Amino acid sequence: MSKANSTETRQREEEDEQGSAHGAAGEQLSTAPREERPDTGAGVPAMSVIGWARWFWRQLTSMRVALILLFLLSLGAIPGSLIPQTSVDDMKVQAFKEQHTTLTPVYEALQLFDVYSSVWFSAIYILLFVSLIGCIVPRTGQFVGQLRSRPPGAPKRLTRLPAYTTWRTEAEPEEVRTAALAMLRGRRFRGHEVGDAVAAEKGYLREAGNLVFHIALIVMLIAFASGQLFKSEGGKLVVEGDGFSNTLTQYDDFKSGSLYDADSLAPFSFVLDDFVGTYEKSGPQRGTPRTFEARVTYAEGADGAERKGVIKVNEPLVVDGTKVYLIAHGYAPVVTVRDGKGKVVSKSAVPLLPIDNNITSSGAIKVMDGYKDKNGKKTQLGFKAFFVPTFAGHGKGQMFSQFPALDFPVLALSAYQGSLGVDSGLAQNVYQLDTSKMKEFKDEDGELLKKMLMPGEKLDLPDGAGSITFEGTEEWASFQISQQPGNGWALGGAIAAIAGLAGSLFIQRRRVWVRAVRGADGVTVVEMAGLGRSESAKLPEELGDLSAALVTTAPVAPAAPEKPDAADTPDGSAGTDATNEAGSRPVHPADAPAEGAEK
């Protein structure tokens, strides 16, 4: 009974020794911060303010909380993509509010019309930023310390490690260790001799990739923040032959970040020489654009040389860090307005707003100055305009365009006179006509005066009030001029994050030990073992390749002569063997017996 107890005691000691060997060998394989677990005894004292602060900091800088914050940030961006944002299109926001009177108060209370500048989104953003920094700084210090240190010495029992092999050789132990060190260094292991063994380590790029991934996330967050704070974005509609100069007064609409300085607008200008648009004429894709480009002449600075350029969809013109995007296209009928004496009051190309894919367009023609009625009194004229580039013909349904190209242009007008309301000081939509203070021109039947015009035709106003002539059609293009300084950093951060994540996922951190000692019979016993940060089928294979390479320098010794069995000996005892446990040939780690089994 006492013998059994002593056997159990030795097994427990071996298990404890095994656990300590694994711990000593693998304790430095990770730079992840260790969580301190408080005792759960009944007499644990309450934490002080400093204790709670430390606890909160440990939670905030943990990987679990960082992932939760990153998920919340992605979740918070969903309403910013689905709900119209004030910073992007204020008109869409106003239209949404008019259509959804019940949801509007809720959305306004939750700041869903300004998601990216809301309090809750900013709080998630800042907490994630602090969490990443608090996680990276200590891990970087630990990683640098590991790079400067050497791999730890070999555990006492290499047979306890997951991958293990052994063989006997006639080479000297010192010769084997020297050859093993040279071989491991030749395969990019960091190694050195410790006592009777060689310790080597490989796979530091795994942790480096992990750190690069987290640093890249911080770079992306900084780039996103700087892009929002220092960005500028504006729109400009330009008719063929007209130009644009990059000054604040030239924009149709302009929005910028809170820290943007209008004086930092890049000085350049361009002229829209021609817009070229061609469309598919038949088949299921009839009307789909095939050519969609704006040909411009641009110049950098006030006195820069003129250059030719072509702006296409997703191919912007880049001038001094500012990008000019082509975003829309339409038609601008050229009309001439004359008074009752035949004097030309206005002649211009009036851009109209497309309302469908075939560029059926609507808008308003406003004559604000220079017109006098038959009594010589100054007044203003207004015309509601409806334009189709390809008219189907009379008696063929409503007046809508059948094709986006200028194949059969027709302009429909209805006429008004009075006050346009432009002198009130309130902003007006240039595509809408406010008729609240205007009177209709009447035709012979007492109805609103209206007419469909082809190029060259005119609409005569009653009682000698003048006329309006449809001269022809010009094309216009709408451009977005944007400057976002953080785009390059954000792209670089995204590429670095992908590279770092790939490294942290596919590179394995592992250690290899080679022990060479002289056996009792004078023959050198070589042991090799490996330990990885995580379980991997490649570790035994790699150890097998390393042992095969080392065998060329330390060849396997001839097998020792067989000893008679216990039944053949005079005293009935088993014959002793001076060979190592694995015999005279190295055992591939994949064929090694289970942990704790004798080989």
Side-chain angles (χ1 to χ4, degrees):
M1 188 67 179
S2 60
K3 184 176 180 180
N5 291 337
S6 63
T7 302
E8 294 178 359
T9 302
R10 284 199 307 272
Q11 290 179 352
R12 293 193 188 99
E13 291 176 353
E14 290 178 356
E15 292 175 357
D16 294 340
E17 179 184 340
Q18 174 190 352
S20 62
H22 279 281
E27 63 182 355
Q28 296 179 355
L29 282 177
S30 174
T31 59
R34 299 181 179 87
E35 296 186 2
E36 298 179 6
R37 298 180 180 274
D39 296 335
T40 57
V44 176
M47 287 193 298
S48 62
V49 176
I50 298 178
W52 278 109
R54 290 177 178 174
W55 177 86
F56 177 78
W57 177 254
R58 286 197 300 268
Q59 299 302 315
L60 181 61
T61 56
S62 66
M63 184 61 65
R64 178 179 62 256
V65 173
L67 292 175
I68 292 174
L69 291 173
L70 189 60
F71 173 74
L72 291 177
L73 193 70
S74 304
L75 197 64
I78 295 178
S81 303
L82 300 179
I83 301 175
Q85 299 295 295
T86 305
S87 59
V88 178
D89 194 333
D90 189 53
M91 294 183 63
K92 285 187 177 180
V93 173
Q94 295 300 326
F96 183 91
K97 291 181 178 180
E98 293 175 359
Q99 296 174 3
H100 304 84
T101 55
T102 304
L103 290 176
T104 295
V106 179
Y107 284 4
E108 288 179 340
L110 297 176
Q111 299 178 300
L112 295 183
F113 295 115
D114 300 278
V115 168
Y116 302 110
S117 59
S118 63
V119 174
W120 56 269
F121 191 86
S122 301
I124 298 174
Y125 187 89
I126 294 173
L127 286 175
L128 178 61
F129 190 80
V130 174
S131 176
L132 289 174
I133 293 179
C135 180
I136 288 174
V137 171
R139 295 188 69 165
T140 302
Q142 294 176 16
F143 182 61
V144 172
Q146 289 185 16
L147 290 177
R148 298 179 62 182
S149 64
R150 291 185 173 186
K156 185 177 180 180
R157 298 288 300 273
L158 292 179
T159 57
R160 301 296 188 184
L161 297 183
Y164 172 80
T165 185
T166 181
W167 73 95
R168 290 154 44 91
T169 181
E170 293 180 348
E172 295 296 325
E174 295 79 7
E175 182 182 353
V176 175
R177 290 194 291 267
T178 302
L181 183 59
M183 181 267 297
L184 290 170
R185 286 178 175 175
R187 301 200 177 197
R188 299 189 300 277
F189 278 84
R190 294 174 64 243
H192 68 119
E193 285 194 46
V194 184
D196 60 356
V198 172
E201 188 171 9
K202 190 177 182 181
Y204 284 89
L205 287 180
R206 178 188 180 94
E207 186 62 25
N210 194 10
L211 293 175
V212 167
F213 172 73
H214 288 82
I215 293 173
L217 288 182
I218 292 180
V219 171
M220 293 174 63
L221 291 176
I222 294 176
F224 178 76
S226 63
Q228 293 297 314
L229 294 175
F230 296 98
K231 74 173 183 178
S232 68
E233 186 176 277
K236 179 64 179 179
L237 186 149
V238 183
V239 180
E240 287 178 333
D242 292 343
F244 167 79
S245 180
N246 193 28
T247 58
L248 198 58
T249 56
Q250 288 279 301
Y251 284 92
D252 294 332
D253 59 86
F254 184 83
K255 294 177 182 179
S256 62
S258 57
L259 299 181
Y260 183 79
D261 184 6
D263 295 334
S264 61
L265 284 171
F268 71 90
S269 60
F270 68 86
V271 175
L272 177 59
D273 299 325
D274 186 26
F275 181 88
V276 180
T278 59
Y279 308 89
E280 187 68 35
K281 293 184 176 295
S282 61
Q285 295 186 343
R286 183 176 186 272
T288 303
R290 293 306 180 204
T291 305
F292 202 79
E293 60 186 34
R295 300 173 181 176
V296 300
T297 301
Y298 69 97
E300 293 188 46
D303 302 320
E306 292 186 347
R307 304 177 184 177
K308 296 292 185 179
V310 177
I311 307 175
K312 302 179 181 179
V313 177
N314 296 326
E315 296 182 18
L317 173 69
V318 182
V319 184
D320 195 14
T322 301
K323 295 183 178 180
V324 182
Y325 293 91
L326 174 63
I327 59 174
H329 158 257
Y331 294 106
V334 180
V335 295
T336 300
V337 179
R338 294 177 173 86
D339 60 13
K341 297 179 180 181
K343 177 184 176 182
V344 175
V345 177
S346 173
K347 183 176 182 179
S348 62
V350 183
L352 302 181
L353 188 66
I355 61 176
D356 61 22
N357 292 332
N358 287 325
I359 318 185
T360 302
S361 307
S362 66
I365 301 172
K366 302 178 182 180
V367 180
M368 294 177 284
D369 299 310
Y371 176 79
K372 295 180 181 179
D373 62 11
K374 62 182 180 179
N375 299 321
K377 182 180 178 182
K378 290 184 177 181
T379 187
Q380 295 175 333
L381 297 179
F383 301 88
K384 288 184 178 180
F386 197 82
F387 175 80
V388 291
T390 302
F391 182 44
H394 295 283
K396 295 185 179 181
Q398 295 180 340
M399 183 178 167
F400 280 94
S401 178
Q402 306 299 310
F403 194 70
L406 280 173
D407 292 343
F408 189 3
V410 173
L411 176 65
L413 297 174
S414 55
Y416 299 82
Q417 66 175 339
S419 174
L420 293 170
V422 295
D423 300 328
S424 63
L426 299 177
Q428 277 192 353
N429 190 330
V430 295
Y431 302 105
Q432 294 180 353
L433 184 65
D434 182 7
T435 60
S436 59
K437 297 181 179 180
M438 304 190 77
K439 295 181 179 180
E440 300 176 350
F441 280 102
K442 303 291 186 179
D443 58 13
E444 296 177 353
D445 299 326
E447 301 293 335
L448 172 65
L449 179 65
K450 53 186 177 180
K451 186 178 181 180
M452 289 190 296
L453 306 176
M454 296 178 62
E457 296 181 346
K458 68 177 180 177
L459 170 64
D460 292 318
L461 302 179
D463 300 329
S467 64
I468 179 171
T469 305
F470 177 26
E471 306 286 357
T473 308
E474 297 284 354
E475 298 187 62
W476 60 261
S478 180
F479 300 93
Q480 177 180 295
I481 300 95
S482 64
Q483 184 178 4
Q484 291 186 338
N487 283 351
W489 285 98
L491 177 61
I495 296 174
I498 294 174
L501 184 61
S504 64
L505 290 177
F506 297 109
I507 297 176
Q508 184 186 16
R509 184 87 174 270
R510 66 272 195 197
R511 285 181 178 147
V512 173
W513 292 274
V514 180
R515 174 175 287 144
V517 295
R518 195 177 302 277
D521 57 354
V523 180
T524 301
V525 179
V526 182
E527 291 183 293
M528 292 186 68
L531 176 65
R533 180 177 177 178
S534 58
E535 294 294 333
S536 174
K538 294 183 179 180
L539 181 61
E541 296 178 4
E542 184 177 26
L543 192 67
D545 294 338
L546 294 174
S547 64
L550 186 57
V551 164
T552 59
T553 304
V556 177
E562 295 184 359
K563 301 295 182 178
D565 294 338
D568 299 332
T569 57
D571 56 358
S573 61
T576 59
D577 187 4
T579 62
N580 60 326
E581 295 172 341
S584 60
R585 292 184 299 173
V587 180
H588 194 283
D591 301 328
E595 181 179 324
E598 293 296 334
K599 292 185 279 291

